[in-house]
Amino acid sequence: MPELPEIEHLKRSLEPTLVGAAITRVLIKRPDVIHHGESGVSQPIKKRDLLHKRTITRLDRRGKQLAILTDGPAICIHLGMSGNLRLVCASDRPPRTDHVHCKWHWSSSATQGTMLFRDPRRFGGIWVFSSEAGLLEHRWRDLGPDALTIRSSALHESLARSRRPIKAALLDQRVLAGVGNIYADESLFAAGVHPQTLAASLKAATVSKLAQCIRQTLRRAIKAGGSTLRDYADANGEQGWFAVQHRVYGRAGLPCTRCDHPLTAAIVAQRSTVFCPTCQPVRHP
DNA sequence: CCGGACTCCTGTGCGC
DNA sequence: TGCGCACAGGAGTCCG
């Protein structure tokens, strides 16, 4: 499900409700999806680790990860393939509760309600930290620059050392944080770069174009509320509409929107990949 | 050290 | 209509 645009949209949909709210109750239904983010801690996770009795000061995002911050402990939520966070107010029709692994009750001067972490496939999880500094030091330190603001110089530098196909490099969160399978294919199409091109062989001008296309693709997707394929919804259960703008993802065999040539399917970096063989020619360095 | 293969899960949609 | 299989938006780990 969720890549950078979905997480950014989710963050924006949570902020008005959560920032300034106090966590009044925490329910842990599946302890095995919650982890200590700081090494060397082996005690079981306690409710206070999950912000019980704390006031939320801020939300933050790096790549596909969402942080909920207080003036003390912090948590980092990763949605994996099938995770989501959902806000429920007392008056709402209750959403499905199967595969809900953690539940928070929050209360603010304006209102109160519940936030659910649901993740059927359990590729996601929650990491707890004693402070924001702990999160930055132990979990976000290894993430590359955020894809929404990636600069071509930074991208060029890390690609120069990589002998992988460019698509594999874009999916590597240490190179660039936030791009997944959908937006890798969409960005490569927008930049006219073949997904199998060796990363290090890209010229500076091409990397510059690619960086620009990545930023633009992600910005447009955020504006559309992200890509809903099956499950994704924001904190209020609303779908995203960027999927209707996909140029290549999910369109194998269909005509290219630019040249009408049929789009090609391939496996790159163990992931299904769609591209236009005409608009994204193989380049020989 | 690097890059590719494999693995962890459940749900869905397709073909027979 | 029912069943089984392939496949899915992520990423950690292992092995060559």
Side-chain angles (χ1 to χ4, degrees):
Chain A
M1 167 216 327
E3 304 181 30
L4 185 151
E6 290 75 38
I7 307 300
E8 177 63 25
H9 183 78
L10 177 67
K11 171 176 176 273
R12 294 179 190 181
S13 69
L14 288 167
E15 269 166 346
T17 302
L18 287 188
V19 174
I23 303 299
T24 55
R25 236 180 110 197
V26 176
L27 255 110
I28 303 171
K29 298 187 132 186
R30 269 201 83 120
D32 58 336
V33 305
I34 306 167
H35 318 274
H36 284 287
E38 281 139 326
S39 45
V41 190
S42 57
Q43 292 103 346
I45 303 285
K46 301 189 193 86
K47 293 185 178 187
R48 53 177 303 159
D49 295 320
L50 285 163
L51 315 183
H52 188 218
K53 295 184 177 171
R54 294 286 180 168
T55 296
I56 293 166
T57 53
R58 197 161 63 81
L59 303 190
D60 201 359
R61 180 193 59 74
R62 176 84 75 87
K64 304 170 190 172
Q65 308 192 24
L66 180 73
I68 302 179
L69 305 168
T70 71
D71 57 7
I75 64 175
C76 176
I77 298 174
H78 198 179
L79 298 181
M81 292 270 264
S82 61
N84 78 333
L85 286 174
R86 183 74 185 270
L87 289 172
V88 188
C89 294
S91 56
D92 293 347
R93 189 160 50 93
R96 60 192 299 179
T97 54
D98 56 329
H99 302 296
V100 169
H101 308 315
C102 192
K103 201 167 162 179
W104 296 262
H105 289 260
W106 51 266
S107 165
S108 67
S109 55
T111 174
Q112 60 180 27
T114 310
M115 181 170 72
L116 308 177
F117 172 62
R118 181 169 183 271
D119 183 14
R121 285 175 79 179
R122 278 180 278 137
F123 287 178
I126 301 174
W127 283 260
V128 306
F129 300 87
S130 58
S131 67
E132 180 182 354
L135 165 66
L136 295 175
E137 201 176 316
H138 293 273
R139 190 165 175 85
W140 284 7
R141 189 184 54 184
D142 294 332
L143 287 179
D146 193 76
L148 192 54
T149 52
I150 185 64
R151 297 173 55 89
S152 72
S153 53
L155 189 59
H156 193 241
E157 194 184 328
S158 48
L159 294 182
R161 291 178 266 110
S162 177
R163 302 195 41 73
R164 288 178 288 179
I166 179 62
K167 174 162 175 182
L170 293 183
L171 292 175
D172 185 340
Q173 302 298 298
R174 292 166 303 183
V175 170
L176 183 67
V179 171
N181 205 34
I182 294 177
Y183 298 107
D185 280 9
E186 294 298 319
S187 300
L188 287 167
F189 173 78
V193 175
H194 191 289
Q196 289 276 25
T197 315
L198 283 192
S201 74
L202 292 172
K203 291 188 219 134
T206 312
V207 174
S208 175
K209 174 96 182 288
L210 180 56
Q212 188 192 327
C213 289
I214 290 168
R215 295 191 304 261
Q216 184 178 55
T217 302
L218 296 175
R219 273 202 313 271
R220 287 181 177 166
I222 293 167
K223 198 173 267 183
S227 298
T228 295
L229 300 185
R230 178 170 299 135
D231 320 307
Y232 172 75
D234 70 12
N236 303 308
E238 301 291 332
Q239 297 192 349
W241 294 101
F242 191 69
V244 301
Q245 297 181 48
H246 290 172
R247 300 277 184 228
V248 284
Y249 182 85
R251 299 193 67 248
L254 297 173
C256 172
T257 56
R258 269 178 55 200
C259 76
D260 265 2
H261 194 282
L263 298 174
T264 300
I267 300 290
V268 181
Q270 291 82 245
R271 312 296 301 279
S272 73
T273 300
V274 184
F275 63 97
C276 174
T278 324
C279 299
Q280 298 165 264
V282 180
R283 285 169 214 232
H284 297 287

mmCIF file of all heavy atoms in Angstrom, chain A residues 234-279:
data_model
loop_
_atom_site.group_PDB
_atom_site.id
_atom_site.type_symbol
_atom_site.label_atom_id
_atom_site.label_comp_id
_atom_site.label_asym_id
_atom_site.label_seq_id
_atom_site.Cartn_x
_atom_site.Cartn_y
_atom_site.Cartn_z
ATOM 1 N N ASP A 234 -7.030 7.150 4.066
ATOM 2 C CA ASP A 234 -6.396 8.031 5.046
ATOM 3 C C ASP A 234 -7.036 7.835 6.411
ATOM 4 O O ASP A 234 -7.839 6.916 6.627
ATOM 5 C CB ASP A 234 -6.408 9.493 4.571
ATOM 6 C CG ASP A 234 -7.801 10.100 4.585
ATOM 7 O OD1 ASP A 234 -8.739 9.509 5.165
ATOM 8 O OD2 ASP A 234 -7.958 11.201 4.011
ATOM 9 N N ALA A 235 -6.679 8.720 7.343
ATOM 10 C CA ALA A 235 -7.111 8.524 8.730
ATOM 11 C C ALA A 235 -8.628 8.575 8.880
ATOM 12 O O ALA A 235 -9.199 8.067 9.843
ATOM 13 C CB ALA A 235 -6.466 9.567 9.627
ATOM 14 N N ASN A 236 -9.296 9.189 7.902
ATOM 15 C CA ASN A 236 -10.747 9.297 7.970
ATOM 16 C C ASN A 236 -11.444 8.281 7.071
ATOM 17 O O ASN A 236 -12.663 8.367 6.840
ATOM 18 C CB ASN A 236 -11.175 10.716 7.584
ATOM 19 C CG ASN A 236 -10.514 11.736 8.471
ATOM 20 O OD1 ASN A 236 -10.566 11.640 9.695
ATOM 21 N ND2 ASN A 236 -9.841 12.711 7.859
ATOM 22 N N GLY A 237 -10.640 7.353 6.519
ATOM 23 C CA GLY A 237 -11.233 6.322 5.681
ATOM 24 C C GLY A 237 -11.425 6.749 4.236
ATOM 25 O O GLY A 237 -12.047 6.032 3.456
ATOM 26 N N GLU A 238 -10.879 7.918 3.860
ATOM 27 C CA GLU A 238 -11.049 8.406 2.490
ATOM 28 C C GLU A 238 -10.009 7.795 1.562
ATOM 29 O O GLU A 238 -8.830 7.687 1.912
ATOM 30 C CB GLU A 238 -10.895 9.941 2.448
ATOM 31 C CG GLU A 238 -11.874 10.693 3.330
ATOM 32 C CD GLU A 238 -13.303 10.611 2.818
ATOM 33 O OE1 GLU A 238 -13.502 10.467 1.604
ATOM 34 O OE2 GLU A 238 -14.224 10.681 3.658
ATOM 35 N N GLN A 239 -10.423 7.435 0.339
ATOM 36 C CA GLN A 239 -9.508 6.878 -0.645
ATOM 37 C C GLN A 239 -8.677 7.973 -1.308
ATOM 38 O O GLN A 239 -9.042 9.129 -1.295
ATOM 39 C CB GLN A 239 -10.297 6.155 -1.742
ATOM 40 C CG GLN A 239 -11.077 4.964 -1.229
ATOM 41 C CD GLN A 239 -11.603 4.119 -2.371
ATOM 42 O OE1 GLN A 239 -11.560 4.513 -3.530
ATOM 43 N NE2 GLN A 239 -12.087 2.936 -2.044
ATOM 44 N N GLY A 240 -7.565 7.559 -1.920
ATOM 45 C CA GLY A 240 -6.766 8.483 -2.729
ATOM 46 C C GLY A 240 -7.057 8.253 -4.203
ATOM 47 O O GLY A 240 -7.468 7.170 -4.594
ATOM 48 N N TRP A 241 -6.840 9.262 -5.018
ATOM 49 C CA TRP A 241 -7.252 9.201 -6.423
ATOM 50 C C TRP A 241 -6.107 9.283 -7.410
ATOM 51 O O TRP A 241 -6.315 9.511 -8.596
ATOM 52 C CB TRP A 241 -8.293 10.305 -6.701
ATOM 53 C CG TRP A 241 -9.524 10.006 -5.930
ATOM 54 C CD1 TRP A 241 -9.916 10.584 -4.752
ATOM 55 C CD2 TRP A 241 -10.487 8.996 -6.223
ATOM 56 N NE1 TRP A 241 -11.071 9.995 -4.294
ATOM 57 C CE2 TRP A 241 -11.453 9.028 -5.177
ATOM 58 C CE3 TRP A 241 -10.643 8.065 -7.255
ATOM 59 C CZ2 TRP A 241 -12.548 8.145 -5.155
ATOM 60 C CZ3 TRP A 241 -11.733 7.215 -7.210
ATOM 61 C CH2 TRP A 241 -12.671 7.267 -6.167
ATOM 62 N N PHE A 242 -4.868 9.090 -6.948
ATOM 63 C CA PHE A 242 -3.747 9.201 -7.896
ATOM 64 C C PHE A 242 -3.692 8.005 -8.849
ATOM 65 O O PHE A 242 -3.117 8.099 -9.916
ATOM 66 C CB PHE A 242 -2.409 9.362 -7.162
ATOM 67 C CG PHE A 242 -1.285 9.736 -8.075
ATOM 68 C CD1 PHE A 242 -1.252 10.998 -8.660
ATOM 69 C CD2 PHE A 242 -0.286 8.833 -8.389
ATOM 70 C CE1 PHE A 242 -0.228 11.353 -9.534
ATOM 71 C CE2 PHE A 242 0.753 9.178 -9.259
ATOM 72 C CZ PHE A 242 0.783 10.446 -9.828
ATOM 73 N N ALA A 243 -4.288 6.883 -8.445
ATOM 74 C CA ALA A 243 -4.213 5.690 -9.295
ATOM 75 C C ALA A 243 -4.759 5.970 -10.696
ATOM 76 O O ALA A 243 -4.275 5.406 -11.680
ATOM 77 C CB ALA A 243 -4.962 4.518 -8.659
ATOM 78 N N VAL A 244 -5.749 6.840 -10.814
ATOM 79 C CA VAL A 244 -6.302 7.125 -12.140
ATOM 80 C C VAL A 244 -5.295 7.880 -13.010
ATOM 81 O O VAL A 244 -5.448 7.954 -14.214
ATOM 82 C CB VAL A 244 -7.626 7.930 -12.070
ATOM 83 C CG1 VAL A 244 -8.670 7.166 -11.271
ATOM 84 C CG2 VAL A 244 -7.409 9.317 -11.491
ATOM 85 N N GLN A 245 -4.265 8.432 -12.372
ATOM 86 C CA GLN A 245 -3.245 9.154 -13.133
ATOM 87 C C GLN A 245 -2.024 8.296 -13.440
ATOM 88 O O GLN A 245 -1.079 8.771 -14.054
ATOM 89 C CB GLN A 245 -2.789 10.400 -12.367
ATOM 90 C CG GLN A 245 -3.887 11.432 -12.154
ATOM 91 C CD GLN A 245 -3.356 12.645 -11.400
ATOM 92 O OE1 GLN A 245 -2.321 13.188 -11.726
ATOM 93 N NE2 GLN A 245 -4.065 13.052 -10.358
ATOM 94 N N HIS A 246 -2.012 7.038 -12.983
ATOM 95 C CA HIS A 246 -0.845 6.193 -13.252
ATOM 96 C C HIS A 246 -0.625 6.060 -14.752
ATOM 97 O O HIS A 246 -1.555 5.775 -15.503
ATOM 98 C CB HIS A 246 -1.026 4.796 -12.640
ATOM 99 C CG HIS A 246 -0.971 4.777 -11.141
ATOM 100 N ND1 HIS A 246 -1.279 3.657 -10.402
ATOM 101 C CD2 HIS A 246 -0.637 5.735 -10.238
ATOM 102 C CE1 HIS A 246 -1.135 3.929 -9.110
ATOM 103 N NE2 HIS A 246 -0.767 5.194 -8.990
ATOM 104 N N ARG A 247 0.633 6.281 -15.169
ATOM 105 C CA ARG A 247 0.977 6.177 -16.594
ATOM 106 C C ARG A 247 1.428 4.777 -16.966
ATOM 107 O O ARG A 247 1.193 4.326 -18.091
ATOM 108 C CB ARG A 247 2.113 7.158 -16.927
ATOM 109 C CG ARG A 247 1.778 8.603 -16.667
ATOM 110 C CD ARG A 247 1.012 9.152 -17.846
ATOM 111 N NE ARG A 247 0.736 10.571 -17.683
ATOM 112 C CZ ARG A 247 -0.461 11.089 -17.888
ATOM 113 N NH1 ARG A 247 -1.468 10.296 -18.227
ATOM 114 N NH2 ARG A 247 -0.641 12.377 -17.748
ATOM 115 N N VAL A 248 2.123 4.097 -16.026
ATOM 116 C CA VAL A 248 2.648 2.767 -16.335
ATOM 117 C C VAL A 248 2.230 1.696 -15.321
ATOM 118 O O VAL A 248 1.880 0.579 -15.705
ATOM 119 C CB VAL A 248 4.195 2.779 -16.473
ATOM 120 C CG1 VAL A 248 4.601 3.392 -17.800
ATOM 121 C CG2 VAL A 248 4.865 3.511 -15.316
ATOM 122 N N TYR A 249 2.273 2.028 -14.033
ATOM 123 C CA TYR A 249 1.982 1.014 -13.017
ATOM 124 C C TYR A 249 0.593 0.418 -13.252
ATOM 125 O O TYR A 249 -0.404 1.164 -13.380
ATOM 126 C CB TYR A 249 2.064 1.607 -11.607
ATOM 127 C CG TYR A 249 1.806 0.542 -10.564
ATOM 128 C CD1 TYR A 249 2.833 -0.266 -10.107
ATOM 129 C CD2 TYR A 249 0.516 0.302 -10.102
ATOM 130 C CE1 TYR A 249 2.587 -1.288 -9.210
ATOM 131 C CE2 TYR A 249 0.262 -0.714 -9.198
ATOM 132 C CZ TYR A 249 1.299 -1.500 -8.760
ATOM 133 O OH TYR A 249 1.043 -2.517 -7.888
ATOM 134 N N GLY A 250 0.545 -0.899 -13.335
ATOM 135 C CA GLY A 250 -0.736 -1.573 -13.534
ATOM 136 C C GLY A 250 -1.271 -1.503 -14.944
ATOM 137 O O GLY A 250 -2.413 -1.869 -15.191
ATOM 138 N N ARG A 251 -0.434 -1.018 -15.926
ATOM 139 C CA ARG A 251 -0.941 -0.849 -17.297
ATOM 140 C C ARG A 251 -0.184 -1.692 -18.321
ATOM 141 O O ARG A 251 -0.192 -1.367 -19.514
ATOM 142 C CB ARG A 251 -0.882 0.635 -17.688
ATOM 143 C CG ARG A 251 -1.731 1.560 -16.804
ATOM 144 C CD ARG A 251 -1.884 2.949 -17.411
ATOM 145 N NE ARG A 251 -2.667 2.925 -18.624
ATOM 146 C CZ ARG A 251 -2.191 3.182 -19.843
ATOM 147 N NH1 ARG A 251 -0.929 3.470 -20.008
ATOM 148 N NH2 ARG A 251 -2.985 3.131 -20.883
ATOM 149 N N ALA A 252 0.456 -2.752 -17.865
ATOM 150 C CA ALA A 252 1.212 -3.606 -18.797
ATOM 151 C C ALA A 252 0.343 -4.048 -19.964
ATOM 152 O O ALA A 252 -0.798 -4.454 -19.775
ATOM 153 C CB ALA A 252 1.769 -4.818 -18.058
ATOM 154 N N GLY A 253 0.894 -3.930 -21.172
ATOM 155 C CA GLY A 253 0.174 -4.353 -22.374
ATOM 156 C C GLY A 253 -0.726 -3.285 -22.952
ATOM 157 O O GLY A 253 -1.107 -3.339 -24.118
ATOM 158 N N LEU A 254 -1.064 -2.282 -22.159
ATOM 159 C CA LEU A 254 -1.902 -1.187 -22.650
ATOM 160 C C LEU A 254 -1.029 -0.178 -23.383
ATOM 161 O O LEU A 254 0.179 -0.133 -23.180
ATOM 162 C CB LEU A 254 -2.630 -0.516 -21.473
ATOM 163 C CG LEU A 254 -3.618 -1.407 -20.709
ATOM 164 C CD1 LEU A 254 -4.143 -0.689 -19.475
ATOM 165 C CD2 LEU A 254 -4.755 -1.818 -21.629
ATOM 166 N N PRO A 255 -1.649 0.643 -24.240
ATOM 167 C CA PRO A 255 -0.839 1.598 -24.992
ATOM 168 C C PRO A 255 -0.246 2.688 -24.095
ATOM 169 O O PRO A 255 -0.899 3.171 -23.184
ATOM 170 C CB PRO A 255 -1.824 2.195 -26.005
ATOM 171 C CG PRO A 255 -3.173 1.889 -25.466
ATOM 172 C CD PRO A 255 -3.051 0.652 -24.643
ATOM 173 N N CYS A 256 0.991 3.045 -24.405
ATOM 174 C CA CYS A 256 1.654 4.146 -23.713
ATOM 175 C C CYS A 256 0.849 5.430 -23.927
ATOM 176 O O CYS A 256 0.387 5.704 -25.031
ATOM 177 C CB CYS A 256 3.068 4.310 -24.278
ATOM 178 S SG CYS A 256 3.922 5.780 -23.666
ATOM 179 N N THR A 257 0.705 6.217 -22.891
ATOM 180 C CA THR A 257 -0.082 7.441 -23.003
ATOM 181 C C THR A 257 0.633 8.506 -23.830
ATOM 182 O O THR A 257 0.013 9.472 -24.251
ATOM 183 C CB THR A 257 -0.388 8.034 -21.619
ATOM 184 O OG1 THR A 257 0.853 8.244 -20.924
ATOM 185 C CG2 THR A 257 -1.273 7.109 -20.800
ATOM 186 N N ARG A 258 1.940 8.302 -24.062
ATOM 187 C CA ARG A 258 2.673 9.290 -24.858
ATOM 188 C C ARG A 258 2.846 8.864 -26.305
ATOM 189 O O ARG A 258 2.782 9.688 -27.217
ATOM 190 C CB ARG A 258 4.043 9.546 -24.244
ATOM 191 C CG ARG A 258 4.030 10.694 -23.247
ATOM 192 C CD ARG A 258 5.399 10.896 -22.598
ATOM 193 N NE ARG A 258 6.459 11.091 -23.575
ATOM 194 C CZ ARG A 258 7.749 10.898 -23.308
ATOM 195 N NH1 ARG A 258 8.120 10.517 -22.118
ATOM 196 N NH2 ARG A 258 8.642 11.114 -24.248
ATOM 197 N N CYS A 259 3.133 7.545 -26.538
ATOM 198 C CA CYS A 259 3.465 7.134 -27.910
ATOM 199 C C CYS A 259 2.583 6.008 -28.450
ATOM 200 O O CYS A 259 2.759 5.588 -29.589
ATOM 201 C CB CYS A 259 4.934 6.716 -27.982
ATOM 202 S SG CYS A 259 5.237 5.088 -27.253
ATOM 203 N N ASP A 260 1.675 5.506 -27.621
ATOM 204 C CA ASP A 260 0.752 4.442 -28.057
ATOM 205 C C ASP A 260 1.373 3.058 -28.183
ATOM 206 O O ASP A 260 0.656 2.087 -28.426
ATOM 207 C CB ASP A 260 0.091 4.792 -29.403
ATOM 208 C CG ASP A 260 -1.270 5.441 -29.171
ATOM 209 O OD1 ASP A 260 -1.642 5.632 -27.997
ATOM 210 O OD2 ASP A 260 -1.946 5.744 -30.171
ATOM 211 N N HIS A 261 2.661 2.948 -28.057
ATOM 212 C CA HIS A 261 3.324 1.641 -28.102
ATOM 213 C C HIS A 261 2.882 0.853 -26.863
ATOM 214 O O HIS A 261 2.754 1.432 -25.786
ATOM 215 C CB HIS A 261 4.843 1.854 -28.098
ATOM 216 C CG HIS A 261 5.622 0.629 -28.479
ATOM 217 N ND1 HIS A 261 5.834 -0.413 -27.610
ATOM 218 C CD2 HIS A 261 6.249 0.297 -29.643
ATOM 219 C CE1 HIS A 261 6.556 -1.344 -28.223
ATOM 220 N NE2 HIS A 261 6.814 -0.952 -29.460
ATOM 221 N N PRO A 262 2.664 -0.471 -26.978
ATOM 222 C CA PRO A 262 2.244 -1.238 -25.796
ATOM 223 C C PRO A 262 3.318 -1.216 -24.703
ATOM 224 O O PRO A 262 4.501 -1.348 -24.994
ATOM 225 C CB PRO A 262 2.065 -2.660 -26.334
ATOM 226 C CG PRO A 262 1.976 -2.531 -27.805
ATOM 227 C CD PRO A 262 2.703 -1.287 -28.193
ATOM 228 N N LEU A 263 2.881 -1.052 -23.466
ATOM 229 C CA LEU A 263 3.805 -1.034 -22.332
ATOM 230 C C LEU A 263 4.282 -2.451 -22.040
ATOM 231 O O LEU A 263 3.539 -3.415 -22.209
ATOM 232 C CB LEU A 263 3.125 -0.439 -21.104
ATOM 233 C CG LEU A 263 2.674 1.022 -21.263
ATOM 234 C CD1 LEU A 263 1.884 1.479 -20.042
ATOM 235 C CD2 LEU A 263 3.866 1.942 -21.497
ATOM 236 N N THR A 264 5.522 -2.538 -21.605
ATOM 237 C CA THR A 264 6.170 -3.832 -21.357
ATOM 238 C C THR A 264 6.192 -4.154 -19.869
ATOM 239 O O THR A 264 6.413 -3.270 -19.042
ATOM 240 C CB THR A 264 7.624 -3.789 -21.870
ATOM 241 O OG1 THR A 264 7.609 -3.522 -23.261
ATOM 242 C CG2 THR A 264 8.346 -5.109 -21.613
ATOM 243 N N ALA A 265 5.965 -5.441 -19.536
ATOM 244 C CA ALA A 265 6.100 -5.902 -18.153
ATOM 245 C C ALA A 265 7.420 -6.636 -17.994
ATOM 246 O O ALA A 265 7.867 -7.319 -18.902
ATOM 247 C CB ALA A 265 4.949 -6.831 -17.802
ATOM 248 N N ALA A 266 8.051 -6.466 -16.858
ATOM 249 C CA ALA A 266 9.310 -7.161 -16.574
ATOM 250 C C ALA A 266 9.441 -7.308 -15.071
ATOM 251 O O ALA A 266 8.658 -6.732 -14.317
ATOM 252 C CB ALA A 266 10.488 -6.365 -17.133
ATOM 253 N N ILE A 267 10.410 -8.128 -14.665
ATOM 254 C CA ILE A 267 10.724 -8.216 -13.244
ATOM 255 C C ILE A 267 12.083 -7.556 -13.038
ATOM 256 O O ILE A 267 13.073 -7.968 -13.647
ATOM 257 C CB ILE A 267 10.785 -9.685 -12.757
ATOM 258 C CG1 ILE A 267 9.437 -10.392 -12.984
ATOM 259 C CG2 ILE A 267 11.173 -9.737 -11.282
ATOM 260 C CD1 ILE A 267 8.312 -9.912 -12.102
ATOM 261 N N VAL A 268 12.100 -6.523 -12.227
ATOM 262 C CA VAL A 268 13.352 -5.848 -11.903
ATOM 263 C C VAL A 268 13.421 -5.736 -10.386
ATOM 264 O O VAL A 268 12.447 -5.318 -9.752
ATOM 265 C CB VAL A 268 13.427 -4.430 -12.534
ATOM 266 C CG1 VAL A 268 14.748 -3.755 -12.196
ATOM 267 C CG2 VAL A 268 13.226 -4.501 -14.036
ATOM 268 N N ALA A 269 14.550 -6.124 -9.831
ATOM 269 C CA ALA A 269 14.706 -6.093 -8.382
ATOM 270 C C ALA A 269 13.585 -6.891 -7.703
ATOM 271 O O ALA A 269 13.052 -6.497 -6.676
ATOM 272 C CB ALA A 269 14.724 -4.658 -7.852
ATOM 273 N N GLN A 270 13.256 -8.017 -8.300
ATOM 274 C CA GLN A 270 12.225 -8.933 -7.767
ATOM 275 C C GLN A 270 10.844 -8.298 -7.708
ATOM 276 O O GLN A 270 9.963 -8.810 -7.015
ATOM 277 C CB GLN A 270 12.599 -9.464 -6.380
ATOM 278 C CG GLN A 270 13.766 -10.425 -6.341
ATOM 279 C CD GLN A 270 15.093 -9.721 -6.354
ATOM 280 O OE1 GLN A 270 15.856 -9.858 -7.299
ATOM 281 N NE2 GLN A 270 15.348 -8.945 -5.331
ATOM 282 N N ARG A 271 10.669 -7.179 -8.380
ATOM 283 C CA ARG A 271 9.367 -6.513 -8.316
ATOM 284 C C ARG A 271 8.804 -6.382 -9.717
ATOM 285 O O ARG A 271 9.551 -6.140 -10.676
ATOM 286 C CB ARG A 271 9.501 -5.112 -7.699
ATOM 287 C CG ARG A 271 10.307 -5.070 -6.411
ATOM 288 C CD ARG A 271 9.655 -5.847 -5.298
ATOM 289 N NE ARG A 271 8.345 -5.347 -5.014
ATOM 290 C CZ ARG A 271 8.112 -4.282 -4.264
ATOM 291 N NH1 ARG A 271 9.099 -3.646 -3.687
ATOM 292 N NH2 ARG A 271 6.894 -3.877 -4.051
ATOM 293 N N SER A 272 7.488 -6.507 -9.831
ATOM 294 C CA SER A 272 6.866 -6.318 -11.137
ATOM 295 C C SER A 272 7.110 -4.879 -11.583
ATOM 296 O O SER A 272 7.013 -3.942 -10.792
ATOM 297 C CB SER A 272 5.376 -6.618 -11.052
ATOM 298 O OG SER A 272 4.715 -5.594 -10.369
ATOM 299 N N THR A 273 7.443 -4.751 -12.849
ATOM 300 C CA THR A 273 7.895 -3.473 -13.381
ATOM 301 C C THR A 273 7.230 -3.249 -14.725
ATOM 302 O O THR A 273 7.152 -4.167 -15.534
ATOM 303 C CB THR A 273 9.423 -3.506 -13.555
ATOM 304 O OG1 THR A 273 10.025 -3.743 -12.286
ATOM 305 C CG2 THR A 273 9.955 -2.218 -14.169
ATOM 306 N N VAL A 274 6.726 -2.043 -14.953
ATOM 307 C CA VAL A 274 6.113 -1.719 -16.232
ATOM 308 C C VAL A 274 6.784 -0.474 -16.795
ATOM 309 O O VAL A 274 7.034 0.482 -16.063
ATOM 310 C CB VAL A 274 4.588 -1.495 -16.086
ATOM 311 C CG1 VAL A 274 3.947 -1.263 -17.450
ATOM 312 C CG2 VAL A 274 3.934 -2.675 -15.384
ATOM 313 N N PHE A 275 7.095 -0.521 -18.079
ATOM 314 C CA PHE A 275 7.739 0.636 -18.705
ATOM 315 C C PHE A 275 7.405 0.671 -20.187
ATOM 316 O O PHE A 275 6.858 -0.298 -20.729
ATOM 317 C CB PHE A 275 9.258 0.586 -18.496
ATOM 318 C CG PHE A 275 9.920 -0.590 -19.144
ATOM 319 C CD1 PHE A 275 10.515 -0.477 -20.392
ATOM 320 C CD2 PHE A 275 9.931 -1.826 -18.501
ATOM 321 C CE1 PHE A 275 11.123 -1.575 -20.992
ATOM 322 C CE2 PHE A 275 10.535 -2.930 -19.099
ATOM 323 C CZ PHE A 275 11.133 -2.800 -20.349
ATOM 324 N N CYS A 276 7.728 1.787 -20.827
ATOM 325 C CA CYS A 276 7.505 1.922 -22.260
ATOM 326 C C CYS A 276 8.839 1.751 -22.974
ATOM 327 O O CYS A 276 9.744 2.554 -22.792
ATOM 328 C CB CYS A 276 6.917 3.290 -22.607
ATOM 329 S SG CYS A 276 6.804 3.512 -24.405
ATOM 330 N N PRO A 277 8.962 0.708 -23.798
ATOM 331 C CA PRO A 277 10.250 0.455 -24.442
ATOM 332 C C PRO A 277 10.662 1.570 -25.399
ATOM 333 O O PRO A 277 11.843 1.698 -25.712
ATOM 334 C CB PRO A 277 10.022 -0.864 -25.196
ATOM 335 C CG PRO A 277 8.551 -1.025 -25.285
ATOM 336 C CD PRO A 277 7.944 -0.275 -24.145
ATOM 337 N N THR A 278 9.728 2.348 -25.867
ATOM 338 C CA THR A 278 10.071 3.439 -26.780
ATOM 339 C C THR A 278 10.445 4.714 -26.033
ATOM 340 O O THR A 278 11.437 5.356 -26.329
ATOM 341 C CB THR A 278 8.874 3.757 -27.708
ATOM 342 O OG1 THR A 278 8.211 2.551 -28.034
ATOM 343 C CG2 THR A 278 9.321 4.466 -28.948
ATOM 344 N N CYS A 279 9.622 5.068 -25.055
ATOM 345 C CA CYS A 279 9.877 6.310 -24.311
ATOM 346 C C CYS A 279 10.998 6.144 -23.286
ATOM 347 O O CYS A 279 11.552 7.123 -22.800
ATOM 348 C CB CYS A 279 8.612 6.784 -23.603
ATOM 349 S SG CYS A 279 7.256 7.141 -24.723
#
